Amino acid sequence: MKIKDLFETMEYGPAPESRDAADQWLDAHQREFRLFINGEWAPPVSGKYFETVNPANKEFLARIAEGGPDDVGRAVAAARQALPHWAALSGHARARYLYALARQIQKYSRLFAVLESLDNGKPIRETRDIDIPLVARHFYYHAGWAQLRDTELAGYREVGVVGQIIPWNFPLLMLAWKIAPALAMGNTVVLKPAEYTPLTALLFAEICRNAGLPPGVVNVVTGAGETGAALTKHEGVDKIAFTGSTEVGRIIRKATAGSGKKLSLELGGKSPFIVFEDSDLDSVVEGVVDAIWFNQGQVCCAGSRLLVQESVAKKLYAKIRARMEKLRVGDPLDKSIDIGAIVAPVQLRTIEELVRKGVEEGARLWQPSWACPAEGYFYPPTLFTEVSPAHVIAQEEIFGPVLVAMTFRTPAEAVQLANNTRYGLAASIWTDNINLALDIAPQVKAGTVWINCTNVFDAASGFGGYRESGFGREGGKEGLYEYVRQTVEDAFFDKPVVLKKAKTQSRESGIAGMPPVDRTPKLYIGGKQVRPDSGYSLPVYGPDNLLLGEVGDGNRKDIRNAVEAAHAARGWASATGHARAQVLYFLAENLAARSAEFAGRIAGLTGCSPEDGQREVDASVERIFYYAAMADKYDGHVHHTVLRNVTLAMPEPIGVMGVICPDESPLLGFLSAVIPAIAMGNRVVAVPSESFPLSATDVYQVLDTSDVPGGVLNIVTGKQEALAKVLANHLDVDGIWYFGHQAGSQMVEHDSAGNMKRAWVNHGRYRDWMNPAHGQGEAFLRQATQVKNIWIPYGE
Amino acid sequence: MKDKEKQKTHPRVPILPLDLEWIKSIRVNRSAVERRADTLGKRRTVKKEWQAAWLLRAIACMDLTTLAGDDTPGNVVRLCAKARQPVRQDLLERMGVGDLGLHTGAVCVYHNLIAAALDALEGSDIPVAAVSTGFPAGQIPMAQKLEEIGASVKAGAQEIDIVISRAHVLRGEWENLYEEVVSFREACGPAHMKTILATGELATLTNVAKASHVCMMAGADFIKTSTGKESVNATLPVSLVMVRAIREYYERTGFQVGFKPAGGIRTAKQALDWLILMKEELGNDWLSPRLFRFGASSLLTDIERQLEHFVTGTYSADYRHPMG
């Protein structure tokens, strides 16, 4: 082109980033990569390789080893062998390694950026300005946590060998999110990169070697889904961390059930982008660009559902369309493009299919007038308006540059629409009214809420899902707990800890010469005593097989009713910590007032001495006090993220929880299991001990007198395993705790996969409930909450 | 020149009634604006021939400026010669634009130098712009401001850069601001009016947006960021807010108002950032001197050096380019 012509047209020209260094690096490896195991490059046992290609032009980039089960085995063995030394290093020593990795990443930042763009198809601007800087930041941040672990996380140790499976949309960033906290906390790692995008993980492996990381601390086994499955199932792995689709996450949840492996899952999303009429609409438009046209929309937390207040919808749509017309799709290595290539043809077909579906369903499609490059896998930015929640495109994660727009009339309706999804990864809220913003943020079911911004990330902020978007957090202090265990867990017992039987056993006494008045414990649902739906009762026997009474034989319908009652009591979640504490103190007070009766009951049920019974009641009162104290003190953080903003990390209740109570310590075990959940604002459906249910049913009379609102704690007696299964499968239960045997633990974890509810089980390892180190503490509160990070930029 | 033809086909921006409801509804989120401003120059870039062409365009859109207490006809004449021949002819020819007739958009001076500038620019298409209304602070009586405008127009200035009373903005007195600018516009008569907001003294981006809209309603042909004398002058976030206001005004009224960032734009790279801003937010119409001007004094030298680098492949020195 002549400069004279360009002076008239003022077009953008090509602005390619050089790929020479990346090609040289690939060539230096003969464009063939083996597995990185124990600090060496090892050929796959099978001898099989697959190809990775550049989605922008379909060119071959390199041959990649396909790791099989044997290779996974070797990698796990290497990680296991490296573990004792690595875990025994001082925090400072591990901090030095992580610091070195951060520096190495910065030194090779452009090579990483170009390689990532070539392999994935994402724009060089994004890898250069977003992905790679975030990666370096993640290692720096966690170098700090390595330094601080022993003081800031006293009482915790490493989990062990961690298997990590990462997706193709942010290959190196997801690697960083996985590896940095794992290493900082003293774990060793076997990482499986996504088959489409293995290259930057392999460059990272090389950098680990350059940084002098001990062999076996980081192993990289490339391969496809089967490689990941082998890693998931491997018995030598202590934890699995996975980022990917909800479908695969569910498979992993089931596959690891009962194995004792810790699990964190970061899954799909259909995140709402809520626009109120008082927002800066021009800024909203750029927010939309960042939300759905970042990384071709292949972002788990993409703001893919635009919810606009009716009064400004038309105006906003017009602005968005005008902006879309200006977006540039093309060569990912061109520094002047906004949208690169879709990662693979299969993904492109999925997008095309869902868009076709949207058109069929009657939504209004809009795409810019210009055409995408014909070579390579490209898809234009796409806006659907006139979309309803009933449309498939409003519910399914498209994972492409496709935005679906709906309108709302009121803030309450915005929240309803926002939460009308199985997912709960992120949300973006746009308004200039801080009252409105901070009113909506807690109501949206999402792990991350961005006010007047979107898709901003930082190592200091936890990221992760609600609902079927997974569980666990990555980043922030909250993310560290995925990579540690409490040291006290090592002291748990293989058998239940039961009270010693007394020599002479107490009897419940009546008036001489008269039969005792029959007491009929019922189920306790929604603050009322109700008869079991079945019409059956279960006998309760004392230690010498003496019939002590009967309890209701609860069934699935009773569970259903209890769950509904629990949902109806949602006001408990928004009650202040102080208000909840007051109720719990009152509960403790009323329990203490009847302590002799409760002590006698424990003795009667277990055959322990009255003194032991009294000790358990005293411990129970103290336990309630502990959680009453914590109700207004277990609070969040303001994270030091790098944006000018306040990042609030707020612990929120899980929601409605099923709690399968321990079969030991009739009163203390029951209360230790349910009170922390309630203290944090959850509503509980409790299934008491099958052997000693009467202590639990006695409690409901105390609940009645203690102002515990109806529905906050529901008690369904009956056969524990059957009821546990109903709760584990219930799709409107958000979390489940199980304190029984190994088989039950496995069942609960397995069946929780239906709605990916948070499952916390004991794997048949028993606590001594009388010991506060076992039976209470922040571990319970952490399991009773999920952290929501709310980003609030400021500045007028 | 094509620009002249265009000017004929575009009606001049009229004075419209003040719409306070509109002003009240304006929302600007600073953090979001800064985020967009920060990524504008990272999402787009121009290289090689494209960059050269864009830099030539920056020159065509430049109000070559001198606004100093020690200005004399001597240095103003020198500046005007530079405005006529902003780039060495040999470089222009090697770029194939020797016959383009490239000159700057205007020469911008104080009132006292108008005559000298007019003399020096005689026979060229280059208009003389004069700063006015008690520039830079505007802290003089209204009558004197109007007189100053009248005198400058009479002296032959085709463009008048006025300063607004910042107090009206800071006190939220939009009617007063509107009336002030309407008076200025009427005093300008045929001369085009550039309204300097002095954004560095307006405290918030919301104030910048509101003041932009009021000035456009009051008939500003251009809205301009700064005098160059405030402690903070043209910034990208401020400019983004102003060009979005121009876009909104165009969408609502159909009238195209020009934009002039001034103060602190010294490098070719910065000039490209602003051109990208204009192209992305407003479109190619706003890449012409009719609707876009840089207020700059030292920018030209850096652009000349970059152009020589483009032509020769070696880095240049400022003394190789005739001074203005």
Side-chain angles (χ1 to χ4, degrees):
Chain A
M1 287 286 270
K2 291 239 176 74
I3 290 176
K4 206 173 197 172
D5 300 327
L6 296 174
F7 179 79
E8 291 301 330
T9 61
M10 288 297 284
E11 284 169 9
Y12 293 116
E17 172 75 32
S18 167
R19 53 179 285 175
D20 294 351
D23 279 326
Q24 279 162 19
W25 182 76
L26 290 168
D27 290 339
H29 289 266
Q30 283 82 45
R31 296 196 179 250
E32 183 174 299
F33 291 87
R34 290 180 279 179
L35 309 166
F36 186 71
I37 295 174
N38 206 27
E40 304 290 337
W41 294 103
V45 171
S46 67
K48 281 194 211 157
Y49 287 78
F50 61 95
E51 292 187 351
T52 186
V53 301
N54 179 349
N57 57 13
K58 307 179 190 175
E59 70 172 320
F60 163 81
L61 290 173
R63 274 158 47 86
I64 308 292
E66 188 176 322
D70 293 340
D71 303 308
V72 168
R74 282 190 300 159
V76 172
R80 178 63 59 191
Q81 201 186 350
L83 181 65
H85 169 69
W86 181 251
L89 283 179
S90 69
H92 177 60
R94 282 198 301 274
R96 286 183 176 210
Y97 281 115
L98 283 159
Y99 181 73
L101 288 174
R103 301 289 278 210
Q104 288 286 322
I105 286 158
Q106 283 187 322
K107 281 185 241 179
Y108 292 95
S109 60
R110 195 54 60 90
L111 178 58
F112 271 118
V114 173
L115 207 52
E116 193 84 305
S117 176
L118 282 173
D119 207 13
N120 169 280
K122 62 169 66 192
I124 184 70
R125 176 190 78 89
E126 293 181 6
T127 59
R128 180 197 64 199
D129 294 349
I130 301 171
D131 292 42
I132 310 304
L134 282 172
V135 169
R137 160 82 176 137
H138 220 78
F139 277 96
Y140 280 122
Y141 178 79
H142 284 94
W145 278 124
Q147 177 75 39
L148 299 175
R149 188 197 81 175
D150 293 342
T151 50
E152 296 296 310
L153 282 93
Y156 290 88
R157 63 165 176 81
E158 73 287 347
V159 175
V161 174
V162 182
Q164 304 182 313
I165 302 168
I166 57 172
W168 46 258
N169 58 345
F170 293 90
L172 191 69
L173 183 56
M174 290 302 102
L175 173 149
W177 282 21
K178 297 283 179 289
I179 288 184
L183 297 193
M185 295 297 103
N187 304 278
T188 56
V189 163
V190 177
L191 177 98
K192 191 201 84 70
E195 57 180 313
Y196 296 141
T197 55
L199 292 178
T200 47
L202 296 164
L203 175 57
F204 177 80
E206 206 168 85
I207 268 172
C208 286
R209 210 151 78 154
N210 296 347
L213 200 69
V217 171
V218 169
N219 305 275
V220 178
V221 180
T222 44
E226 282 169 27
T227 315
L231 183 57
T232 305
K233 286 180 194 136
H234 197 289
E235 287 185 358
V237 172
D238 300 303
K239 176 199 162 67
I240 293 290
F242 170 77
T243 297
S245 71
T246 295
E247 187 190 349
V248 175
R250 194 167 276 133
I251 293 168
I252 292 174
R253 168 71 287 182
K254 289 179 182 169
T256 56
S259 65
K261 291 187 178 93
K262 267 184 90 122
L263 182 61
S264 50
L265 300 173
E266 200 266 89
L267 308 174
K270 189 80 181 175
S271 297
F273 187 104
I274 309 169
V275 181
F276 289 99
E277 61 187 358
D278 64 349
S279 45
D280 170 2
L281 290 185
D282 287 318
S283 289
V284 166
V285 171
E286 295 309 320
V288 167
V289 172
D290 289 336
I292 190 69
W293 296 307
F294 171 50
N295 202 30
Q296 297 71 248
Q298 302 169 136
V299 184
C300 47
C301 54
S304 52
R305 280 189 302 144
L306 176 64
L307 308 177
V308 199
Q309 195 150 12
E310 274 183 19
S311 51
V312 292
K314 209 176 144 199
K315 185 170 182 187
L316 181 62
Y317 294 163
K319 281 178 182 286
I320 291 173
R321 289 186 189 117
R323 181 70 177 90
M324 288 167 76
E325 195 67 36
K326 296 223 170 203
L327 290 170
R328 305 183 85 230
V329 176
D331 177 8
L333 281 182
D334 190 308
K335 287 178 268 192
S336 285
I337 64 114
D338 298 298
I339 300 178
I342 303 295
V343 72
V346 58
Q347 185 59 27
L348 185 59
R349 279 197 296 275
T350 307
I351 296 166
E352 288 166 345
E353 190 51 46
L354 280 161
V355 168
R356 197 173 306 129
K357 188 98 194 157
V359 172
E360 268 173 33
E361 286 178 321
R364 193 167 149 222
L365 172 108
W366 196 90
Q367 291 176 334
S369 61
W370 43 260
C372 288
E375 186 195 17
Y377 312 119
F378 293 94
Y379 199 82
T382 300
L383 170 69
F384 274 110
T385 50
E386 292 162 40
V387 178
S388 297
H391 292 158
V392 170
I393 52 168
Q395 295 293 338
E396 295 278 312
E397 183 177 37
I398 298 173
F399 226 64
V402 182
L403 179 66
V404 303
M406 288 168 270
T407 58
F408 63 86
R409 297 164 296 170
T410 63
E413 192 174 57
V415 170
Q416 264 185 320
L417 282 166
N419 289 338
N420 187 215
T421 170
R422 296 179 187 190
Y423 295 113
L425 197 50
S428 187
I429 299 169
W430 293 74
T431 169
D432 254 22
N433 179 348
I434 192 167
N435 299 308
L436 182 59
L438 296 185
D439 183 32
I440 302 300
Q443 296 184 59
V444 177
K445 301 286 181 200
T448 300
V449 176
W450 290 297
I451 311 284
N452 294 327
C453 60
T454 196
N455 277 341
V456 289
F457 307 97
D458 186 65
S461 168
F463 183 89
Y466 278 37
R467 295 184 173 168
E468 292 184 33
S469 291
F471 40 77
R473 293 292 178 266
E474 297 184 289
K477 190 175 186 186
E478 56 266 38
L480 303 177
Y481 294 100
E482 305 302 327
Y483 288 98
V484 290
R485 272 188 203 284
Q486 276 191 295
T487 47
V488 72
E489 290 176 39
D490 300 334
F492 290 172
F493 302 91
D494 291 331
K495 292 205 173 97
V497 181
V498 293
L499 290 172
K500 258 196 275 176
K501 290 208 170 61
K503 285 184 187 116
T504 55
Q505 309 209 329
S506 65
R507 286 275 179 272
E508 289 193 64
S509 54
I511 297 165
M514 294 285 277
V517 177
D518 186 68
R519 282 173 66 184
T520 311
K522 301 196 184 81
L523 311 183
Y524 186 71
I525 294 175
K528 294 191 179 67
Q529 302 178 35
V530 296
R531 290 181 202 287
D533 169 79
S534 67
Y536 287 97
S537 291
L538 294 173
V540 179
Y541 296 102
D544 45 7
N545 275 341
L546 184 77
L547 183 68
L548 295 180
E550 290 91 5
V551 290
D553 184 9
N555 67 12
R556 53 188 290 117
K557 289 188 181 167
D558 298 310
I559 292 289
R560 176 200 64 188
N561 296 343
V563 169
E564 279 173 20
H567 275 287
R570 60 178 57 84
W572 183 248
S574 50
T576 64
H578 172 72
R580 288 199 294 263
Q582 294 310 108
V583 169
L584 291 178
Y585 283 126
F586 197 23
L587 178 67
E589 178 189 331
N590 288 324
L591 183 64
R594 292 170 61 174
S595 67
E597 176 199 338
F598 275 88
R601 176 67 95 183
I602 293 165
L605 285 166
T606 65
C608 72
S609 69
E611 294 76 20
D612 280 348
Q614 186 60 48
R615 266 192 287 276
E616 184 170 329
V617 176
D618 292 344
S620 297
V621 170
E622 185 173 348
R623 193 133 301 165
I624 299 172
F625 257 67
Y626 172 79
Y627 288 115
M630 283 302 230
D632 59 1
K633 292 174 194 66
Y634 185 74
D635 48 19
H637 291 95
V638 176
H639 284 315
H640 280 291
T641 51
V642 294
L643 204 70
R644 185 186 66 217
N645 84 114
V646 177
T647 308
L648 292 178
M650 300 204 318
E652 290 191 339
I654 303 283
V656 170
M657 292 177 57
V659 177
I660 317 302
C661 300
D663 207 20
E664 59 272 8
S665 303
L667 181 66
L668 180 62
F670 173 78
L671 292 172
S672 298
V674 300
I675 298 300
I678 290 171
M680 293 295 101
N682 298 285
R683 289 84 71 205
V684 168
V685 177
V687 179
S689 156
E690 201 169 319
S691 311
F692 313 122
L694 293 172
S695 281
T697 53
D698 289 346
V699 167
Y700 69 62
Q701 292 171 345
V702 187
L703 295 175
D704 276 342
T705 55
S706 307
D707 300 341
V708 178
V712 169
L713 175 53
N714 306 277
I715 303 171
V716 180
T717 52
K719 299 188 186 75
Q720 267 196 327
E721 291 311 304
L723 298 177
K725 196 164 176 65
V726 175
L727 279 167
N729 280 285
H730 199 304
L731 298 179
D732 211 7
V733 170
D734 306 300
I736 184 164
W737 289 359
Y738 180 89
F739 300 97
H741 45 70
Q742 167 58 14
S745 298
Q746 177 168 4
M747 180 277 290
V748 165
E749 284 195 331
H750 183 275
D751 289 11
S752 69
N755 66 340
M756 303 306 281
K757 62 174 66 67
R758 286 98 190 93
W760 189 38
V761 304
N762 67 342
H763 296 291
R765 300 271 294 160
Y766 297 90
R767 290 170 166 78
D768 173 5
W769 295 103
M770 289 295 287
N771 178 352
H774 288 209
Q776 75 178 27
E778 287 199 2
F780 286 77
L781 301 177
R782 200 169 305 113
Q783 295 290 342
T785 52
Q786 48 197 343
V787 178
K788 173 183 279 181
N789 273 265
I790 305 175
W791 295 65
I792 312 162
Y794 55 82
E796 178 58 47
Chain B
M1 289 241 341
K2 275 189 180 169
D3 293 320
K4 267 205 155 174
E5 287 157 30
K6 259 190 182 174
Q7 208 151 339
K8 280 177 202 150
T9 60
H10 287 91
R12 190 173 174 194
V13 180
I15 298 168
L16 295 181
L18 176 65
D19 183 343
L20 281 175
E21 278 306 303
W22 178 352
I23 302 302
K24 224 168 94 181
S25 72
I26 288 166
R27 298 273 187 278
V28 179
N29 186 287
R30 177 178 152 201
S31 297
V33 164
E34 287 174 346
R35 193 173 160 77
R36 167 67 170 156
D38 179 53
T39 53
L40 262 166
K42 295 173 180 166
R43 282 181 179 271
R44 297 288 182 269
T45 182
V46 279
K47 301 289 178 197
K48 304 203 163 121
E49 289 86 353
W50 285 265
Q51 187 179 87
W54 282 51
L55 290 176
L56 292 172
R57 180 60 74 134
I59 293 170
C61 292
M62 194 178 295
D63 281 3
L64 201 57
T65 303
T66 183
L67 293 168
D70 57 1
D71 282 340
T72 67
N75 73 301
V76 168
V77 166
R78 208 163 59 202
L79 192 73
C80 292
K82 192 68 186 169
R84 286 168 173 266
Q85 181 72 50
V87 179
R88 266 168 34 208
Q89 189 62 22
D90 63 306
L91 293 177
L92 292 175
E93 270 157 23
R94 287 178 72 180
M95 287 186 277
V97 292
D99 57 351
L100 196 61
L102 181 73
H103 57 71
T104 67
V107 167
C108 182
V109 293
Y110 272 117
H111 172 84
N112 285 350
L113 284 308
I114 293 173
L118 278 173
D119 269 0
L121 291 171
E122 201 182 345
S124 76
D125 285 332
I126 305 170
V128 172
V131 295
S132 196
T133 65
F135 181 97
Q139 298 285 22
I140 61 170
M142 185 64 181
Q144 288 183 26
K145 293 181 186 179
L146 297 175
E147 276 170 34
E148 190 182 5
I149 294 174
S152 293
V153 174
K154 202 172 160 197
Q158 292 159 271
E159 301 179 359
I160 303 292
D161 289 22
I162 62 100
V163 294
I164 63 164
S165 296
R166 282 68 127 179
H168 292 330
V169 178
L170 297 174
R171 293 157 65 95
E173 295 166 349
W174 305 116
E175 294 94 336
N176 292 350
L177 177 63
Y178 175 78
E179 280 160 22
E180 178 185 62
V181 178
V182 166
S183 303
F184 292 163
R185 165 70 193 263
E186 285 165 348
C188 283
H192 278 224
M193 178 174 72
K194 304 196 200 96
T195 311
I196 302 172
L197 303 183
T199 55
E201 293 175 352
L202 298 188
T204 67
L205 291 179
T206 306
N207 277 348
V208 169
K210 290 183 173 177
S212 297
H213 275 102
V214 171
C215 290
M216 288 188 284
M217 290 169 191
D221 295 288
F222 269 72
I223 51 175
K224 175 175 168 185
T225 59
S226 324
T227 63
K229 312 288 186 190
E230 291 85 52
S231 57
V232 179
N233 293 289
T235 67
L236 275 174
V238 155
S239 300
L240 178 59
V241 167
M242 291 174 72
V243 300
R244 282 176 172 177
I246 290 170
R247 185 174 66 202
E248 176 88 13
Y249 196 76
Y250 174 61
E251 284 166 4
R252 288 207 196 196
T253 69
F255 294 109
Q256 295 182 315
V257 174
F259 177 61
K260 178 175 172 184
I265 303 171
R266 295 188 184 89
T267 67
K269 172 78 179 78
Q270 282 177 296
L272 293 175
D273 285 345
W274 258 275
L275 289 170
I276 289 168
L277 166 76
M278 300 309 287
K279 185 175 170 73
E280 288 295 310
E281 294 284 330
L282 283 167
N284 280 15
D285 268 10
W286 271 269
L287 291 176
S288 77
R290 180 174 71 88
L291 291 171
F292 183 56
R293 301 284 179 82
F294 287 106
S297 42
S298 61
L299 172 63
L300 180 56
T301 308
D302 192 53
I303 292 180
E304 289 175 87
R305 290 165 64 228
Q306 299 310 319
L307 288 173
E308 182 166 32
H309 173 251
F310 166 73
V311 169
T312 64
T314 52
Y315 291 110
S316 181
D318 55 5
Y319 63 78
R320 296 171 58 82
H321 304 282
M323 63 187 279

